[in-house]
Amino acid sequence: MLRQLTLLGGLTLSSGGAGIMIVPVVMAASPTQLRNAITDTPASQGDNTACESPPASWQAEPVGSVSLKLSTTLLPPLSAEETTRFLMAEQITGSPTQELQAVGQAEMRMPGTVLKAAEIRYNTFTDTLYAEREVRLYRDGNFFTGDQLSLKLDTRQGELQRPEFVLPANNGRGQARSLTFLNQEQTQLKQAEYSTCPANKRDWYVRAEELTLDAAEQQASGKEGTLYFKDVPILYLPRYRFGLGEQRRTGFLAPYFSSSSRSGFQLTTPFYINLAPNRDLTLLPRYYTRRGEQLGADFRYLGEQNRMGQLRAEYLPKDQEQGRARYSYSWQHAELLAPRLTLTGNFNQVSDDTYFTDFSRTLAASSQSFLPRDLGLSYLHPTGTSYLRLSNFQTLQNASTPITPPYARLPQVGSQQRWVDWFGLDAGLTVEATRFSHSTLQTGERYLAIPSLSYPLTRSYGFVVPKVSLHTTYYALDANSGLNLAQSNAQREVPIYSLDSGLIFERSTSLFGNRVSQTLEPRLFYLRAPYRNQSNLPNFDSALADINFAQIFAENAFSGQDRVADADQLTTALTTRFITDSTGQERLRLAIAQRFNFQSPVVTLPGGSPSNERKSDLLFAGYGQLSRTTYLDSGLQLNAQDNSARRYNTSIRYIPARGKSIAATYRYREAELRQVDIAGQWPLTESLYAVGRVNYSLLDRQSVENVLGVEYNGGCWIIRAVGQRFASAANTSTTSFFLQLELSGFGALGSNPSEILRRNIPGYSILNNRDSNSSRFTHYE
C-alpha cells in the first residue's frame, strides 16, 4: 500500500515498495524553512505521525497554477542552508520535527555529496548527519569510506573514523586513523598514509602524522612525514607539499643530483616561487664537489600586454679548480609594443671560453662557439616587414682550433615587401642598410636594394614564372688596415633573370597494398646573371652555400649579400609522390636534381678560385612511410665527374608502439665525416626498458656521443639510470651519470635524464603511469 504525507514547504514523505524517500514536489524546503514551519504548527509528534488534514498554508501551490517566465540573469548559487536533501532507505522512522533514522541501504544525496551507509540519522534542528557501518562518502569528486561519520551539512564540517580515501584527480589513495572535514574545501587526516599506487600494490607511500587536503588550492600538505619505498624509509619529510592538480605552488622542489667527470658530483635543491599567475622564479642552489657552490636562477614571465620572456643565470663565486668566479646568463624576450610592432631580444654571456665544456650536460651546448646578443624591432606591413636590429656575438675560442669572430651589425635596418597581383604582376623590394663592426677586419657600411618583378602563370597541371631583379649594393668603407682597397667607396649592380617552370602529371596506382595517386613532376629552372668583378668588395657575411634541394633553385650560389654569383645555367629536377587516396597522406616521395652551367661561374670568395665544372653534383632524395611503423629518409650528393659520393645520409626509424622505437642513421661527408648512429627505446620485459644511443665516428675511430641506460616502470613509479659520454672539446670527453626515482603524482628524486633521452632517441616516449581515464566521476555512486 502506498501512503503519502504532505510535509511543510511542499515536501512529500512517501512509502512504497522501493523504500521511503524525501523528495521535492513543487518547491524545495531548506532545513531552516522546515524547522520554522514545524515550530509554528501544532502537529502531533511520533515516529509514524501523519498529518491527515494539513493547514492550507502548508499546501504546495499546484503545478498547474505556477506561472513560469524566462530570467535574463543567472540566479546565485544556493547556500548550504537552501539546498535540497534526498533521503532514501529500506525503512525510515523518527520525527520530521526532530530526527529521522534511515536503516538498510540508507542513502543521503545533496549537491556535490552522496552518502551511503547501513544506518543514517539526520537531525533536522542541527542539520547534522550521523552514519554508521559501511560508510561510503562521495564528496566533490573525492571518495571516502570508514566506520562512523558525523557531518554538519550547512558548514560541511565533520569527522570520519578509520577512513580510507581515493583522490581521482591524481590517482591518489590512502588511509588514516581519523579524518576531519574542516570546511567545504579542506580535509585533515591524522596518522595518514598516502600513495598513488593501486590499493593492492603499496610500492611507495608517505606516512605522516598529519596530512591536509585542500580542494580549493588543489594541493596537499603534511607534517612529520616519511617517504617509504618498498617498505624501506628513504626520506624524512618534516614539512612537505605536493599538488593534487596542475596548479603551481611556492616551495622546495624535490632535490636532484648527477655526476660528471668535469665537475664531480652535483646536488641541486630547487626552490620554486610562484610570484603571480604570469610570473615565477626558480632558485637553483647547487654544489659541485670539484667546483664548489653555485647559485642559479630561472625567471619566467608572461605579460598581460603580449609580453613573454625567460631569464636564466648561474654564478660560481670561486671555482675550486680555476680559482676564479665563473658565471653565465641568458635572456630571451618578445613583446608586442603595438599592433604589428614587435620587440625581441636574445642576450647570452659566459665568463670564459670553457664554461660550457665544464658545466654543460649535452654535446650541443658544450660545442657552442658563438653566443648571440640581439635586439630587434619589426613592423608587419600588409605587404611585408620592416626591421631594425642590433646584433653581436661572444666568440668562445679553443686554443687548438681558433676561429675568426663574426661581424657585429650595429645597426641593421631594412624592409622586405611583396605586392601580389599588381596589375597581373608580382613585385618585390628588399632594402637594407647595415653598419659592420669588427676589432681586426675591414669595417664599414653596406646599402642594399633589390627590386624584382615576376609574372606567374599557374594552372592545376603546371606553372611558368618569368622573373627579373636587380641586385644593387653600395659600400662606404672605413679607412682601416683590414682590407687594402684602392677606394673607400664601391658599388655593384647585377641584373638577374630567371624562368621557373614545371608540370604535374597524375595517375592512379597501388603502393604497399593501398590505392594511391602517383604524381610525376618535372621542373626546369633557368638562371642568368652576368659577371661583375667583385674582388674589390669586402666580405662581411657571404659564404658558399651548400648544394641541396632548396639551394639548387636559388638565384645566388652564395649566402649573404657581399657576393652575387654569375650564372648561365639550367637546373633540372624530377619528383614523384605517392599519395594515399583515402587519407591524402604522402606515403613516398622521390626526387632527383642537377644543375648544368652553360658557362663556368667566375665570382669567388676572397682567396678562392673559380670552378670549371660544367654541371653540378647530382642530388637524390627519398622520404617515405614504408609501413604503419617504418619510416625512411635518405639523401645522396653524387660527384658528376667520377660518380663518387660527396655526401650521403640515410635514416630508418621503426616505431611499432609507444615505448618502442629504433633508429639507425649513417652520415657521410667526403674527407670530413663518416658516422654511424644507432638509438632506441625498447622493452626487455613488460616493465623494464632499455634506452641508448651510440654515435660513432668511423673517420676518427672514436665515439662522438654515447648514451646507455634502463628504465623500470613499476606502475606507480619509474626508476631511470642513464650514463652519458660525449666529446666536449678536442681530445676532451665528459662523462655523466643520472639516477632518478619518479613517484607518480608526488614528485621525483635524483637527476632527470628525460631531456637527454628525448634529444638523443628519435621517437622516445616518457613512460606515463597516470590513468588518463580517471576523473572526478570515477568513483561516483
Side-chain angles (χ1 to χ4, degrees):
M1 176 179 178
L2 178 65
R3 293 185 302 170
Q4 178 171 297
L5 173 64
T6 303
L7 295 181
L8 308 179
L11 293 181
T12 299
L13 180 63
S14 305
S15 65
I20 301 176
M21 178 186 306
I22 297 179
V23 296
V25 177
V26 176
M27 61 183 76
S30 68
T32 302
Q33 295 170 327
L34 183 61
R35 289 196 300 270
N36 293 340
I38 293 175
T39 304
D40 298 335
T41 304
S44 59
Q45 307 294 319
D47 289 345
N48 294 288
T49 302
C51 298
E52 299 295 341
S53 301
S57 60
W58 295 7
Q59 301 294 330
E61 186 177 2
V63 176
S65 65
V66 175
S67 177
L68 301 179
K69 66 178 180 178
L70 293 176
S71 174
T72 59
T73 59
L74 292 175
L75 296 176
L78 295 176
S79 66
E81 279 281 312
E82 298 171 320
T83 56
T84 303
R85 279 77 160 157
F86 298 83
L87 180 62
M88 294 178 288
E90 294 178 350
Q91 181 182 11
I92 294 181
T93 60
S95 169
T97 62
Q98 294 182 349
E99 184 175 276
L100 293 173
Q101 184 174 10
V103 180
Q105 299 183 17
E107 181 175 343
M108 169 69 83
R109 288 179 178 264
M110 58 184 296
T113 303
V114 176
L115 170 65
K116 294 183 178 182
E119 179 181 342
I120 296 177
R121 289 180 288 118
Y122 175 49
N123 190 305
T124 58
F125 277 94
T126 61
D127 198 22
T128 304
L129 278 176
Y130 301 92
E132 295 182 349
R133 294 172 296 152
E134 303 175 6
V135 177
R136 301 165 64 84
L137 175 65
Y138 174 89
R139 172 171 150 139
D140 297 324
N142 298 323
F143 182 66
F144 305 88
T145 64
D147 295 338
Q148 293 179 332
L149 169 69
S150 63
L151 182 64
K152 203 171 189 311
L153 297 185
D154 54 354
T155 62
R156 302 296 178 92
Q157 295 176 323
E159 293 185 357
L160 179 63
Q161 300 301 318
R162 309 301 299 176
E164 295 184 2
F165 59 92
V166 178
L167 312 177
N170 66 332
N171 288 338
R173 66 177 64 246
Q175 59 188 12
R177 178 180 58 82
S178 65
L179 179 151
T180 302
F181 295 109
L182 302 178
N183 49 49
Q184 173 69 19
E185 308 293 348
Q186 293 182 320
T187 303
Q188 188 178 81
L189 301 103
K190 297 292 186 180
Q191 296 183 12
E193 285 188 5
Y194 173 84
S195 178
T196 60
C197 293
N200 58 350
K201 187 180 181 182
R202 293 169 65 252
D203 285 352
W204 73 265
Y205 54 90
V206 174
R207 182 174 293 166
E209 286 299 315
E210 181 179 302
L211 179 64
T212 301
L213 310 177
D214 192 323
E217 297 294 329
Q218 284 291 289
Q219 71 173 6
S221 58
K223 299 179 182 179
E224 298 300 322
T226 303
L227 175 62
Y228 288 80
F229 183 71
K230 296 294 185 179
D231 292 326
V232 177
I234 61 173
L235 185 64
Y236 172 62
L237 304 169
R239 289 183 179 269
Y240 61 94
R241 183 182 300 169
F242 59 93
L244 299 176
E246 301 299 326
Q247 287 82 352
R248 298 173 291 128
R249 298 286 176 264
T250 297
F252 280 100
L253 305 179
Y256 61 86
F257 55 85
S258 63
S259 177
S260 167
S261 60
R262 302 284 299 178
S263 299
F265 180 83
Q266 169 201 334
L267 175 63
T268 305
T269 55
F271 185 80
Y272 179 82
I273 304 174
N274 185 29
L275 300 174
N278 60 338
R279 295 188 302 275
D280 61 18
L281 172 66
T282 305
L283 300 179
L284 300 165
R286 295 190 182 98
Y287 176 73
Y288 295 94
T289 55
R290 294 181 59 179
R291 304 285 177 180
E293 298 85 3
Q294 181 191 72
L295 178 62
D298 188 347
F299 174 61
R300 301 183 301 175
Y301 56 92
L302 181 66
E304 297 178 357
Q305 302 298 326
N306 298 307
R307 179 188 304 115
M308 62 182 298
Q310 185 169 11
L311 174 63
R312 303 183 187 93
E314 296 174 345
Y315 180 70
L316 188 70
K318 184 177 181 180
D319 190 321
Q320 296 176 357
E321 290 201 349
Q322 297 193 8
R324 60 189 174 111
R326 306 183 74 182
Y327 65 86
S328 75
Y329 72 83
S330 174
W331 180 36
Q332 289 80 40
H333 178 83
E335 180 175 357
L336 187 65
L337 299 178
R340 300 176 178 268
L341 184 63
T342 303
L343 174 69
T344 59
N346 182 17
F347 302 93
N348 302 271
Q349 177 79 29
V350 294
S351 58
D352 53 86
D353 293 334
T354 60
Y355 187 90
F356 289 124
T357 304
D358 292 336
F359 294 104
S360 66
R361 292 173 39 173
T362 66
L363 175 61
S366 67
S367 59
Q368 291 184 90
S369 298
F370 304 107
L371 300 183
R373 304 166 186 167
D374 301 325
L375 182 64
L377 195 65
S378 62
Y379 183 78
L380 183 64
H381 302 274
T383 57
T385 304
S386 297
Y387 53 87
L388 167 64
R389 298 187 185 123
L390 303 172
S391 62
N392 198 354
F393 296 89
Q394 179 185 7
T395 304
L396 306 182
Q397 297 284 4
N398 189 320
S400 60
T401 56
I403 55 179
T404 302
Y407 278 92
R409 306 181 186 211
L410 305 170
Q412 181 181 23
V413 184
S415 179
Q416 295 178 345
Q417 303 296 323
R418 185 168 182 257
W419 296 269
V420 179
D421 196 16
W422 180 62
F423 299 104
L425 304 174
D426 287 355
L429 177 63
T430 298
V431 294
E432 186 179 274
T434 308
R435 170 68 187 180
F436 292 94
S437 300
H438 202 282
S439 59
T440 60
L441 301 180
Q442 174 69 50
T443 60
E445 299 168 5
R446 184 184 70 196
Y447 302 90
L448 173 73
I450 309 177
S452 65
L453 201 63
S454 63
Y455 183 57
L457 300 171
T458 59
R459 298 292 185 270
S460 61
Y461 52 83
F463 63 91
V464 176
V465 183
K467 181 181 178 182
V468 60
S469 61
L470 180 65
H471 198 294
T472 304
T473 316
Y474 176 80
Y475 293 90
L477 304 176
D478 300 331
N480 55 22
S481 58
L483 188 64
N484 185 17
L485 298 175
Q487 54 186 7
S488 59
N489 299 330
Q491 64 183 46
R492 171 194 60 198
E493 297 88 16
V494 182
I496 302 174
Y497 314 93
S498 66
L499 179 65
D500 196 3
S501 61
L503 293 173
I504 302 174
F505 302 95
E506 185 175 324
R507 67 164 186 166
S508 295
T509 184
S510 61
L511 180 71
F512 308 133
N514 298 315
R515 296 300 301 173
V516 299
S517 296
Q518 181 188 7
T519 68
L520 192 64
E521 306 169 30
R523 182 179 178 183
L524 295 177
F525 178 72
Y526 175 74
L527 178 65
R528 170 65 177 162
Y531 168 74
R532 296 292 186 268
N533 184 9
Q534 302 169 48
S535 60
N536 64 328
L537 303 181
N539 182 22
F540 294 135
D541 62 5
S542 281
L544 185 62
D546 289 336
I547 185 172
N548 52 51
F549 272 90
Q551 194 280 330
I552 202 170
F553 293 101
E555 296 179 350
N556 191 2
F558 297 98
S559 63
Q561 304 293 350
D562 292 311
R563 292 295 182 272
V564 179
D566 55 313
D568 186 9
Q569 61 193 29
L570 178 68
T571 300
T572 62
L574 182 65
T575 303
T576 182
R577 309 171 197 266
F578 295 84
I579 302 172
T580 305
D581 291 343
S582 59
T583 63
Q585 178 188 9
E586 184 180 278
R587 291 294 301 273
L588 181 63
R589 180 174 69 247
L590 303 172
I592 180 173
Q594 189 171 28
R595 176 188 295 159
F596 298 91
N597 296 313
F598 300 113
Q599 290 184 352
S600 299
V602 179
V603 177
T604 64
L605 294 171
S609 57
S611 171
N612 295 322
E613 294 182 354
R614 301 304 295 267
K615 55 184 178 180
S616 72
D617 293 341
L618 192 62
L619 299 181
F620 296 90
Y623 167 81
Q625 184 176 352
L626 304 183
S627 68
R628 185 182 59 85
T629 59
T630 307
Y631 304 82
L632 177 67
D633 192 357
S634 184
L636 171 64
Q637 179 179 338
L638 200 63
N639 190 322
Q641 308 302 319
D642 57 10
N643 294 326
S644 62
R646 290 194 175 178
R647 291 189 181 186
Y648 174 66
N649 69 276
T650 185
S651 175
I652 185 168
R653 289 184 296 155
Y654 176 62
I655 309 177
R658 181 179 178 85
K660 294 183 177 181
S661 68
I662 295 178
T665 304
Y666 177 74
R667 306 182 188 93
Y668 172 82
R669 186 179 303 164
E670 188 177 27
E672 295 181 20
L673 181 72
R674 288 177 60 199
Q675 289 183 358
V676 175
D677 197 340
I678 301 175
Q681 176 187 26
W682 201 262
L684 303 178
T685 66
E686 184 178 354
S687 302
L688 183 64
Y689 289 73
V691 292
R693 177 192 181 190
V694 176
N695 186 2
Y696 185 80
S697 173
L698 299 173
L699 197 62
D700 301 324
R701 296 185 178 180
Q702 66 176 12
S703 295
V704 178
E705 183 172 16
N706 291 338
V707 176
L708 183 63
V710 293
E711 297 178 297
Y712 186 84
N713 184 356
C716 57
W717 56 274
I718 301 174
I719 190 167
R720 300 181 179 95
V722 177
Q724 179 192 32
R725 181 181 177 86
F726 60 89
S728 53
N731 302 319
T732 304
S733 297
T734 297
T735 302
S736 303
F737 181 74
F738 306 90
L739 180 64
Q740 183 190 47
L741 174 62
E742 179 183 338
L743 308 177
S744 299
F746 184 78
L749 302 175
S751 52
N752 187 1
S754 298
E755 182 60 33
I756 292 173
L757 296 176
R758 276 195 297 263
R759 183 182 58 83
N760 281 277
I761 302 175
Y764 171 78
S765 300
I766 294 181
L767 305 181
N768 188 356
N769 304 305
R770 300 193 60 167
D771 182 4
S772 59
N773 297 322
S774 238
S775 76
R776 62 179 290 127
F777 301 108
T778 299
H779 297 274
Y780 182 77
E781 298 192 3

